[in-house]
PDB file of all heavy atoms in Angstrom:
ATOM      1  N   ILE A 225       6.959  -6.187 -29.530  1.00  0.00           N
ATOM      2  CA  ILE A 225       6.483  -6.697 -28.252  1.00  0.00           C
ATOM      3  C   ILE A 225       6.609  -8.218 -28.176  1.00  0.00           C
ATOM      4  O   ILE A 225       6.790  -8.785 -27.100  1.00  0.00           O
ATOM      5  CB  ILE A 225       5.027  -6.226 -27.999  1.00  0.00           C
ATOM      6  CG1 ILE A 225       4.641  -6.427 -26.528  1.00  0.00           C
ATOM      7  CG2 ILE A 225       4.053  -6.910 -28.950  1.00  0.00           C
ATOM      8  CD1 ILE A 225       3.347  -5.725 -26.137  1.00  0.00           C
ATOM      9  N   ASP A 226       6.580  -8.901 -29.326  1.00  0.00           N
ATOM     10  CA  ASP A 226       6.778 -10.355 -29.334  1.00  0.00           C
ATOM     11  C   ASP A 226       8.219 -10.717 -28.991  1.00  0.00           C
ATOM     12  O   ASP A 226       8.474 -11.739 -28.341  1.00  0.00           O
ATOM     13  CB  ASP A 226       6.386 -10.943 -30.692  1.00  0.00           C
ATOM     14  CG  ASP A 226       4.900 -11.230 -30.792  1.00  0.00           C
ATOM     15  OD1 ASP A 226       4.436 -12.146 -30.093  1.00  0.00           O
ATOM     16  OD2 ASP A 226       4.202 -10.530 -31.545  1.00  0.00           O
ATOM     17  N   TYR A 228      10.023  -8.977 -26.958  1.00  0.00           N
ATOM     18  CA  TYR A 228      10.046  -8.797 -25.502  1.00  0.00           C
ATOM     19  C   TYR A 228       9.425 -10.002 -24.808  1.00  0.00           C
ATOM     20  O   TYR A 228       9.982 -10.534 -23.840  1.00  0.00           O
ATOM     21  CB  TYR A 228       9.308  -7.506 -25.132  1.00  0.00           C
ATOM     22  CG  TYR A 228       9.276  -7.189 -23.649  1.00  0.00           C
ATOM     23  CD1 TYR A 228      10.344  -7.483 -22.814  1.00  0.00           C
ATOM     24  CD2 TYR A 228       8.163  -6.567 -23.079  1.00  0.00           C
ATOM     25  CE1 TYR A 228      10.316  -7.179 -21.450  1.00  0.00           C
ATOM     26  CE2 TYR A 228       8.120  -6.257 -21.728  1.00  0.00           C
ATOM     27  CZ  TYR A 228       9.193  -6.566 -20.922  1.00  0.00           C
ATOM     28  OH  TYR A 228       9.149  -6.266 -19.578  1.00  0.00           O
ATOM     29  N   ALA A 229       8.301 -10.471 -25.323  1.00  0.00           N
ATOM     30  CA  ALA A 229       7.641 -11.650 -24.746  1.00  0.00           C
ATOM     31  C   ALA A 229       8.555 -12.879 -24.829  1.00  0.00           C
ATOM     32  O   ALA A 229       8.598 -13.697 -23.906  1.00  0.00           O
ATOM     33  CB  ALA A 229       6.324 -11.918 -25.462  1.00  0.00           C
ATOM     34  N   GLU A 230       9.303 -12.990 -25.927  1.00  0.00           N
ATOM     35  CA  GLU A 230      10.241 -14.103 -26.070  1.00  0.00           C
ATOM     36  C   GLU A 230      11.297 -14.063 -24.968  1.00  0.00           C
ATOM     37  O   GLU A 230      11.672 -15.103 -24.395  1.00  0.00           O
ATOM     38  CB  GLU A 230      10.925 -14.047 -27.438  1.00  0.00           C
ATOM     39  CG  GLU A 230      11.945 -15.165 -27.641  1.00  0.00           C
ATOM     40  CD  GLU A 230      12.817 -14.975 -28.877  1.00  0.00           C
ATOM     41  OE1 GLU A 230      12.808 -13.859 -29.442  1.00  0.00           O
ATOM     42  OE2 GLU A 230      13.517 -15.933 -29.252  1.00  0.00           O
ATOM     43  N   ILE A 232      10.945 -12.724 -22.002  1.00  0.00           N
ATOM     44  CA  ILE A 232      10.258 -13.114 -20.764  1.00  0.00           C
ATOM     45  C   ILE A 232      10.164 -14.629 -20.681  1.00  0.00           C
ATOM     46  O   ILE A 232      10.461 -15.241 -19.643  1.00  0.00           O
ATOM     47  CB  ILE A 232       8.857 -12.470 -20.699  1.00  0.00           C
ATOM     48  CG1 ILE A 232       8.963 -10.945 -20.551  1.00  0.00           C
ATOM     49  CG2 ILE A 232       8.041 -13.060 -19.542  1.00  0.00           C
ATOM     50  CD1 ILE A 232       7.647 -10.205 -20.736  1.00  0.00           C
ATOM     51  N   GLU A 233       9.772 -15.261 -21.771  1.00  0.00           N
ATOM     52  CA  GLU A 233       9.619 -16.721 -21.797  1.00  0.00           C
ATOM     53  C   GLU A 233      10.963 -17.427 -21.605  1.00  0.00           C
ATOM     54  O   GLU A 233      11.057 -18.420 -20.866  1.00  0.00           O
ATOM     55  CB  GLU A 233       8.981 -17.139 -23.125  1.00  0.00           C
ATOM     56  CG  GLU A 233       7.539 -16.699 -23.253  1.00  0.00           C
ATOM     57  CD  GLU A 233       7.039 -16.675 -24.688  1.00  0.00           C
ATOM     58  OE1 GLU A 233       7.835 -16.945 -25.615  1.00  0.00           O
ATOM     59  OE2 GLU A 233       5.849 -16.376 -24.878  1.00  0.00           O
ATOM     60  N   MET A 236      11.797 -17.103 -17.983  1.00  0.00           N
ATOM     61  CA  MET A 236      10.898 -17.903 -17.146  1.00  0.00           C
ATOM     62  C   MET A 236      11.241 -19.389 -17.218  1.00  0.00           C
ATOM     63  O   MET A 236      11.092 -20.118 -16.234  1.00  0.00           O
ATOM     64  CB  MET A 236       9.439 -17.665 -17.553  1.00  0.00           C
ATOM     65  CG  MET A 236       8.439 -18.377 -16.658  1.00  0.00           C
ATOM     66  SD  MET A 236       6.742 -17.760 -16.843  1.00  0.00           S
ATOM     67  CE  MET A 236       6.398 -18.176 -18.549  1.00  0.00           C
ATOM     68  N   ILE A 246       7.923  -8.046 -14.515  1.00  0.00           N
ATOM     69  CA  ILE A 246       8.231  -7.024 -15.500  1.00  0.00           C
ATOM     70  C   ILE A 246       9.109  -5.940 -14.869  1.00  0.00           C
ATOM     71  O   ILE A 246       8.903  -5.570 -13.717  1.00  0.00           O
ATOM     72  CB  ILE A 246       6.930  -6.374 -16.024  1.00  0.00           C
ATOM     73  CG1 ILE A 246       5.978  -7.451 -16.578  1.00  0.00           C
ATOM     74  CG2 ILE A 246       7.216  -5.304 -17.067  1.00  0.00           C
ATOM     75  CD1 ILE A 246       6.553  -8.286 -17.692  1.00  0.00           C
ATOM     76  N   PRO A 291      -1.387  -2.680 -21.690  1.00  0.00           N
ATOM     77  CA  PRO A 291      -2.368  -3.747 -21.941  1.00  0.00           C
ATOM     78  C   PRO A 291      -1.977  -4.664 -23.097  1.00  0.00           C
ATOM     79  O   PRO A 291      -2.374  -5.838 -23.117  1.00  0.00           O
ATOM     80  CB  PRO A 291      -3.655  -2.974 -22.257  1.00  0.00           C
ATOM     81  CG  PRO A 291      -3.505  -1.679 -21.533  1.00  0.00           C
ATOM     82  CD  PRO A 291      -2.039  -1.345 -21.643  1.00  0.00           C
ATOM     83  N   ASN A 292      -1.189  -4.160 -24.043  1.00  0.00           N
ATOM     84  CA  ASN A 292      -0.767  -4.989 -25.169  1.00  0.00           C
ATOM     85  C   ASN A 292       0.105  -6.157 -24.720  1.00  0.00           C
ATOM     86  O   ASN A 292       0.137  -7.202 -25.377  1.00  0.00           O
ATOM     87  CB  ASN A 292       0.018  -4.150 -26.186  1.00  0.00           C
ATOM     88  CG  ASN A 292      -0.837  -3.104 -26.864  1.00  0.00           C
ATOM     89  OD1 ASN A 292      -2.058  -3.144 -26.780  1.00  0.00           O
ATOM     90  ND2 ASN A 292      -0.194  -2.162 -27.544  1.00  0.00           N
ATOM     91  N   LEU A 293       0.824  -5.995 -23.605  1.00  0.00           N
ATOM     92  CA  LEU A 293       1.683  -7.079 -23.119  1.00  0.00           C
ATOM     93  C   LEU A 293       0.845  -8.223 -22.579  1.00  0.00           C
ATOM     94  O   LEU A 293       1.138  -9.398 -22.852  1.00  0.00           O
ATOM     95  CB  LEU A 293       2.649  -6.560 -22.049  1.00  0.00           C
ATOM     96  CG  LEU A 293       3.669  -7.573 -21.531  1.00  0.00           C
ATOM     97  CD1 LEU A 293       4.491  -8.170 -22.669  1.00  0.00           C
ATOM     98  CD2 LEU A 293       4.589  -6.923 -20.499  1.00  0.00           C
ATOM     99  N   THR A 294      -0.197  -7.900 -21.818  1.00  0.00           N
ATOM    100  CA  THR A 294      -1.113  -8.946 -21.339  1.00  0.00           C
ATOM    101  C   THR A 294      -1.697  -9.698 -22.526  1.00  0.00           C
ATOM    102  O   THR A 294      -1.740 -10.943 -22.547  1.00  0.00           O
ATOM    103  CB  THR A 294      -2.235  -8.316 -20.496  1.00  0.00           C
ATOM    104  OG1 THR A 294      -1.668  -7.743 -19.313  1.00  0.00           O
ATOM    105  CG2 THR A 294      -3.273  -9.353 -20.087  1.00  0.00           C
ATOM    106  N   GLU A 295      -2.148  -8.967 -23.531  1.00  0.00           N
ATOM    107  CA  GLU A 295      -2.742  -9.591 -24.723  1.00  0.00           C
ATOM    108  C   GLU A 295      -1.728 -10.476 -25.441  1.00  0.00           C
ATOM    109  O   GLU A 295      -2.038 -11.597 -25.859  1.00  0.00           O
ATOM    110  CB  GLU A 295      -3.260  -8.511 -25.666  1.00  0.00           C
ATOM    111  CG  GLU A 295      -3.930  -9.060 -26.909  1.00  0.00           C
ATOM    112  CD  GLU A 295      -4.506  -7.989 -27.819  1.00  0.00           C
ATOM    113  OE1 GLU A 295      -4.250  -6.798 -27.563  1.00  0.00           O
ATOM    114  OE2 GLU A 295      -5.197  -8.343 -28.787  1.00  0.00           O
ATOM    115  N   THR A 296      -0.495  -9.996 -25.578  1.00  0.00           N
ATOM    116  CA  THR A 296       0.544 -10.754 -26.277  1.00  0.00           C
ATOM    117  C   THR A 296       0.882 -12.048 -25.558  1.00  0.00           C
ATOM    118  O   THR A 296       1.017 -13.113 -26.182  1.00  0.00           O
ATOM    119  CB  THR A 296       1.816  -9.892 -26.438  1.00  0.00           C
ATOM    120  OG1 THR A 296       1.494  -8.734 -27.216  1.00  0.00           O
ATOM    121  CG2 THR A 296       2.931 -10.657 -27.124  1.00  0.00           C
ATOM    122  N   LEU A 297       1.016 -11.985 -24.239  1.00  0.00           N
ATOM    123  CA  LEU A 297       1.328 -13.196 -23.465  1.00  0.00           C
ATOM    124  C   LEU A 297       0.207 -14.230 -23.583  1.00  0.00           C
ATOM    125  O   LEU A 297       0.464 -15.430 -23.696  1.00  0.00           O
ATOM    126  CB  LEU A 297       1.582 -12.833 -22.000  1.00  0.00           C
ATOM    127  CG  LEU A 297       2.870 -12.037 -21.731  1.00  0.00           C
ATOM    128  CD1 LEU A 297       2.896 -11.535 -20.285  1.00  0.00           C
ATOM    129  CD2 LEU A 297       4.115 -12.868 -22.017  1.00  0.00           C
ATOM    130  N   LEU A 298      -1.040 -13.764 -23.556  1.00  0.00           N
ATOM    131  CA  LEU A 298      -2.178 -14.685 -23.737  1.00  0.00           C
ATOM    132  C   LEU A 298      -2.158 -15.303 -25.134  1.00  0.00           C
ATOM    133  O   LEU A 298      -2.358 -16.518 -25.289  1.00  0.00           O
ATOM    134  CB  LEU A 298      -3.501 -13.943 -23.509  1.00  0.00           C
ATOM    135  CG  LEU A 298      -3.822 -13.548 -22.065  1.00  0.00           C
ATOM    136  CD1 LEU A 298      -5.014 -12.601 -22.030  1.00  0.00           C
ATOM    137  CD2 LEU A 298      -4.108 -14.783 -21.209  1.00  0.00           C
ATOM    138  N   LYS A 299      -1.902 -14.486 -26.136  1.00  0.00           N
ATOM    139  CA  LYS A 299      -1.868 -14.975 -27.515  1.00  0.00           C
ATOM    140  C   LYS A 299      -0.774 -16.017 -27.708  1.00  0.00           C
ATOM    141  O   LYS A 299      -0.900 -16.919 -28.547  1.00  0.00           O
ATOM    142  CB  LYS A 299      -1.623 -13.812 -28.480  1.00  0.00           C
ATOM    143  CG  LYS A 299      -2.860 -13.001 -28.825  1.00  0.00           C
ATOM    144  CD  LYS A 299      -2.514 -11.928 -29.850  1.00  0.00           C
ATOM    145  CE  LYS A 299      -3.749 -11.131 -30.251  1.00  0.00           C
ATOM    146  NZ  LYS A 299      -3.416 -10.029 -31.186  1.00  0.00           N
ATOM    147  N   ARG A 300       0.302 -15.897 -26.937  1.00  0.00           N
ATOM    148  CA  ARG A 300       1.422 -16.831 -27.064  1.00  0.00           C
ATOM    149  C   ARG A 300       1.208 -18.098 -26.248  1.00  0.00           C
ATOM    150  O   ARG A 300       2.106 -18.931 -26.117  1.00  0.00           O
ATOM    151  CB  ARG A 300       2.721 -16.126 -26.675  1.00  0.00           C
ATOM    152  CG  ARG A 300       3.121 -15.042 -27.683  1.00  0.00           C
ATOM    153  CD  ARG A 300       4.311 -14.229 -27.203  1.00  0.00           C
ATOM    154  NE  ARG A 300       5.548 -15.005 -27.198  1.00  0.00           N
ATOM    155  CZ  ARG A 300       6.420 -15.053 -28.200  1.00  0.00           C
ATOM    156  NH1 ARG A 300       6.189 -14.355 -29.303  1.00  0.00           N
ATOM    157  NH2 ARG A 300       7.529 -15.773 -28.108  1.00  0.00           N
ATOM    158  N   GLY A 301       0.002 -18.233 -25.673  1.00  0.00           N
ATOM    159  CA  GLY A 301      -0.381 -19.502 -25.064  1.00  0.00           C
ATOM    160  C   GLY A 301      -0.256 -19.593 -23.563  1.00  0.00           C
ATOM    161  O   GLY A 301      -0.459 -20.673 -22.988  1.00  0.00           O
ATOM    162  N   HIS A 302       0.057 -18.488 -22.889  1.00  0.00           N
ATOM    163  CA  HIS A 302       0.165 -18.525 -21.436  1.00  0.00           C
ATOM    164  C   HIS A 302      -1.221 -18.429 -20.795  1.00  0.00           C
ATOM    165  O   HIS A 302      -2.089 -17.703 -21.273  1.00  0.00           O
ATOM    166  CB  HIS A 302       1.070 -17.393 -20.940  1.00  0.00           C
ATOM    167  CG  HIS A 302       2.457 -17.469 -21.496  1.00  0.00           C
ATOM    168  ND1 HIS A 302       3.386 -18.385 -21.046  1.00  0.00           N
ATOM    169  CD2 HIS A 302       3.070 -16.774 -22.484  1.00  0.00           C
ATOM    170  CE1 HIS A 302       4.505 -18.241 -21.734  1.00  0.00           C
ATOM    171  NE2 HIS A 302       4.341 -17.272 -22.611  1.00  0.00           N
ATOM    172  N   SER A 303      -1.397 -19.148 -19.704  1.00  0.00           N
ATOM    173  CA  SER A 303      -2.693 -19.164 -19.018  1.00  0.00           C
ATOM    174  C   SER A 303      -2.937 -17.843 -18.302  1.00  0.00           C
ATOM    175  O   SER A 303      -1.994 -17.086 -18.024  1.00  0.00           O
ATOM    176  CB  SER A 303      -2.743 -20.303 -18.007  1.00  0.00           C
ATOM    177  OG  SER A 303      -1.846 -20.048 -16.934  1.00  0.00           O
ATOM    178  N   VAL A 306      -0.844 -17.668 -15.082  1.00  0.00           N
ATOM    179  CA  VAL A 306       0.569 -17.340 -15.261  1.00  0.00           C
ATOM    180  C   VAL A 306       0.738 -15.874 -15.676  1.00  0.00           C
ATOM    181  O   VAL A 306       1.645 -15.194 -15.192  1.00  0.00           O
ATOM    182  CB  VAL A 306       1.227 -18.283 -16.291  1.00  0.00           C
ATOM    183  CG1 VAL A 306       2.633 -17.798 -16.662  1.00  0.00           C
ATOM    184  CG2 VAL A 306       1.303 -19.698 -15.727  1.00  0.00           C
ATOM    185  N   VAL A 307      -0.151 -15.387 -16.528  1.00  0.00           N
ATOM    186  CA  VAL A 307      -0.061 -13.992 -16.962  1.00  0.00           C
ATOM    187  C   VAL A 307      -0.240 -13.051 -15.776  1.00  0.00           C
ATOM    188  O   VAL A 307       0.472 -12.053 -15.638  1.00  0.00           O
ATOM    189  CB  VAL A 307      -1.092 -13.689 -18.069  1.00  0.00           C
ATOM    190  CG1 VAL A 307      -1.150 -12.193 -18.362  1.00  0.00           C
ATOM    191  CG2 VAL A 307      -0.741 -14.466 -19.336  1.00  0.00           C
ATOM    192  N   ARG A 308      -1.177 -13.353 -14.890  1.00  0.00           N
ATOM    193  CA  ARG A 308      -1.357 -12.531 -13.685  1.00  0.00           C
ATOM    194  C   ARG A 308      -0.081 -12.502 -12.843  1.00  0.00           C
ATOM    195  O   ARG A 308       0.303 -11.454 -12.306  1.00  0.00           O
ATOM    196  CB  ARG A 308      -2.505 -13.079 -12.839  1.00  0.00           C
ATOM    197  CG  ARG A 308      -3.903 -12.785 -13.362  1.00  0.00           C
ATOM    198  CD  ARG A 308      -4.934 -13.398 -12.419  1.00  0.00           C
ATOM    199  NE  ARG A 308      -6.287 -13.307 -12.920  1.00  0.00           N
ATOM    200  CZ  ARG A 308      -7.111 -12.278 -12.713  1.00  0.00           C
ATOM    201  NH1 ARG A 308      -6.687 -11.232 -12.005  1.00  0.00           N
ATOM    202  NH2 ARG A 308      -8.333 -12.283 -13.189  1.00  0.00           N
ATOM    203  N   ILE A 310       3.086 -12.976 -13.903  1.00  0.00           N
ATOM    204  CA  ILE A 310       4.118 -12.218 -14.599  1.00  0.00           C
ATOM    205  C   ILE A 310       3.851 -10.720 -14.508  1.00  0.00           C
ATOM    206  O   ILE A 310       4.763  -9.915 -14.269  1.00  0.00           O
ATOM    207  CB  ILE A 310       4.194 -12.645 -16.082  1.00  0.00           C
ATOM    208  CG1 ILE A 310       4.633 -14.099 -16.207  1.00  0.00           C
ATOM    209  CG2 ILE A 310       5.139 -11.726 -16.862  1.00  0.00           C
ATOM    210  CD1 ILE A 310       4.495 -14.660 -17.624  1.00  0.00           C
ATOM    211  N   MET A 311       2.606 -10.339 -14.699  1.00  0.00           N
ATOM    212  CA  MET A 311       2.255  -8.919 -14.784  1.00  0.00           C
ATOM    213  C   MET A 311       2.326  -8.192 -13.447  1.00  0.00           C
ATOM    214  O   MET A 311       2.385  -6.962 -13.427  1.00  0.00           O
ATOM    215  CB  MET A 311       0.864  -8.750 -15.398  1.00  0.00           C
ATOM    216  CG  MET A 311       0.769  -9.194 -16.856  1.00  0.00           C
ATOM    217  SD  MET A 311       1.931  -8.364 -17.976  1.00  0.00           S
ATOM    218  CE  MET A 311       1.306  -6.681 -17.938  1.00  0.00           C
TER     219      MET A 311
END
Side-chain angles (χ1 to χ4, degrees):
I225 195 168
D226 275 292
Y228 181 35
E230 179 191 13
I232 293 169
E233 291 160 357
M236 185 164 63
I246 305 302
N292 293 346
L293 184 56
T294 295
E295 182 177 8
T296 299
L297 291 171
L298 289 169
K299 279 183 178 177
R300 292 173 70 93
H302 300 285
S303 68
V306 170
V307 171
R308 284 180 187 272
I310 296 170
M311 294 303 293

